[in-house]
Amino acid sequence: AKEQGGGVYRFFSAEMREETLMRHTLQQDMRGAAARGEFILHYQPRVSLHSLEVVSAEALIRWRHPRLGNVPPDCFIGLAEENGCIAEIGAWVLTEAVRQVAAWRNGGRMLKISVNLSPRQLNDRGIVDTVREVLDREGLPPEALELEITESALMQDQNLAISVMRELKHLGVQLSIDDFGTGYSSLSHLRKFPLDCLKLDRSFLDEEQASDINPLILAESIIDLAHALKLSVVAEGVENAEHLDFLRRTSCDEVQGYVISRPLPAAEFEACFAGWRCI
Ligand code: C2E
Ligand code: CA
Ligand code: CA
Ligand code: CA
């Protein structure tokens, strides 16, 4: 950047202006992007540590922006929450993910599917009808669909969240708490919500965060507590053989992470994981 009066401040504000512009561009461009076919889903396998089989997949959205190329979800989901586009994008994700897993099941592969719900989606009663309609249309049994909810979605209007979650449970879908361990809530606090599954954030496996407590004992006690609350436990972000080894010595139920596979486009997922056994 050219040195001018104002120095660092000038540079900083130029950067901020660029960021504001980028946010504005993305927020404009995401309108109608679902209908234009710019989104695709990638699927990341979840492996049961009991059967050592791929039992499920998490659907993760990708935006192929016509000019900017791939825009990662962390860069646009928050913006979609702000401008309300999340309703349209979320409905597209749900429809596409359910359609895909129904197709795999019709081909004999009895997988389940996890779909991420953003806070704004959970805090809107309309989600219940959307989920019911999508399941009916694709003929997917509700227990094959899991909705992943983050702690922040539970913190907004707790009574609304609980009531929407009860209605979703009434439909028969599974509910999980995502990124557990990154937020503020304790396991006992989570008891208020009708959850089936807890996804342990990958920071649990982070060696940098190691304390005096033996990490195996710490993980095991969280998993035991979760089990006492009737929650199954999935460890996410499992990157290497050491982590996997470690988790196999706990009572953790499922693992997900690069050690198994990165999220893959549907065709690649199908090629790799139809009838596939790991470990
Ligand atoms: P998340 O729900 O926690 O998803 C897991 C993220 O971790 C994914 O990033 C995945 O690619 C990445 N990951 C998986 N295994 C590993 C591993 O072993 N190591 C590391 N370091 N990372 C791993 P991705 O796909 O970029 O998604 C980021 C976030 O964007 C998601 O975090 C989720 O919060 C949000 N997101 C993605 N798709 C959707 C969607 O369809 N709807 C909503 N509301 N949010 C979504
Ligand atoms: Ca998730
Ligand atoms: Ca997560
Ligand atoms: Ca763990």
Side-chain angles (χ1 to χ4, degrees):
K2 208 171 164 190
E3 264 303 314
Q4 277 185 5
V8 173
Y9 175 75
R10 215 191 112 79
F11 181 69
F12 183 60
S13 66
E15 230 174 46
M16 280 181 40
R17 196 176 62 225
E18 227 170 80
E19 197 193 310
T20 308
L21 262 171
M22 179 56 83
R23 292 166 64 91
H24 183 76
T25 302
L26 292 178
Q27 286 194 320
Q28 287 300 310
D29 293 353
M30 68 174 66
R31 295 181 195 283
R36 292 192 300 273
E38 292 173 12
F39 296 119
I40 55 162
L41 294 180
H42 282 189
Y43 298 88
Q44 189 176 35
R46 257 163 67 167
V47 169
S48 161
L49 289 178
H50 308 296
S51 67
L52 303 185
E53 279 174 44
V54 173
V55 287
S56 178
E58 178 174 359
L60 294 156
I61 195 171
R62 304 289 179 254
W63 183 8
R64 294 174 304 185
H65 189 286
R67 278 178 302 107
L68 301 170
N70 292 332
V71 183
D74 283 332
C75 294
F76 71 86
I77 292 293
L79 296 176
E81 285 250 303
E82 271 175 31
N83 71 0
C85 282
I86 195 65
E88 180 189 327
I89 296 174
W92 179 83
V93 170
L94 204 54
T95 306
E96 178 62 15
V98 166
R99 188 197 59 71
Q100 181 61 73
V101 80
W104 283 330
R105 291 169 70 95
N106 287 334
R109 191 71 173 86
M110 290 317 211
L111 291 166
K112 298 183 177 188
I113 189 82
S114 290
V115 172
N116 292 284
L117 277 198
S118 75
R120 191 150 160 181
Q121 283 178 285
L122 182 75
N123 287 274
D124 175 355
R125 283 192 188 284
I127 189 68
V128 182
D129 290 326
T130 306
V131 170
R132 187 192 296 110
E133 283 163 19
V134 170
L135 290 172
D136 283 352
R137 199 183 321 131
E138 302 300 335
L140 186 74
E143 60 275 12
L145 174 65
E146 178 180 272
L147 300 172
E148 300 192 4
I149 297 162
T150 53
E151 288 172 46
S152 57
L154 304 180
M155 296 308 134
Q156 301 190 345
D157 179 342
Q158 291 197 20
N159 291 328
L160 178 60
I162 291 172
S163 132
V164 170
M165 286 170 81
R166 285 203 182 124
E167 287 183 49
L168 289 169
K169 282 309 301 170
H170 193 69
L171 290 182
V173 303
Q174 302 287 108
L175 300 178
S176 64
I177 181 87
D178 203 356
D179 305 338
F180 182 78
T182 54
Y184 356 80
S185 57
S186 60
L187 270 172
S188 63
H189 176 248
L190 289 182
R191 266 200 300 201
K192 284 193 263 185
F193 303 94
L195 291 161
D196 302 284
C197 174
L198 180 150
K199 297 192 79 177
L200 263 187
D201 189 74
R202 69 165 178 274
S203 56
F204 269 89
L205 297 169
D206 199 343
E207 279 105 40
E208 320 268 88
Q209 304 207 357
S211 64
D212 309 345
I213 311 168
N214 177 341
L216 191 70
I217 294 174
L218 183 62
E220 191 69 70
S221 55
I222 291 162
I223 295 165
D224 286 348
L225 257 169
H227 285 162
L229 296 171
K230 303 272 187 291
L231 299 172
S232 66
V233 179
V234 182
E236 46 174 13
V238 184
E239 290 182 347
N240 55 51
E242 286 79 30
H243 289 167
L244 188 57
D245 235 46
F246 167 86
L247 288 160
R248 292 191 68 184
R249 285 181 277 133
T250 70
S251 52
C252 185
D253 300 286
E254 290 178 27
V255 290
Q256 177 181 349
Y258 296 163
V259 72
I260 313 285
S261 169
R262 287 175 178 270
L264 299 172
E268 280 175 55
F269 182 94
E270 200 173 319
C272 290
F273 299 113
W276 188 76
R277 265 174 187 270
C278 91
I279 317 175

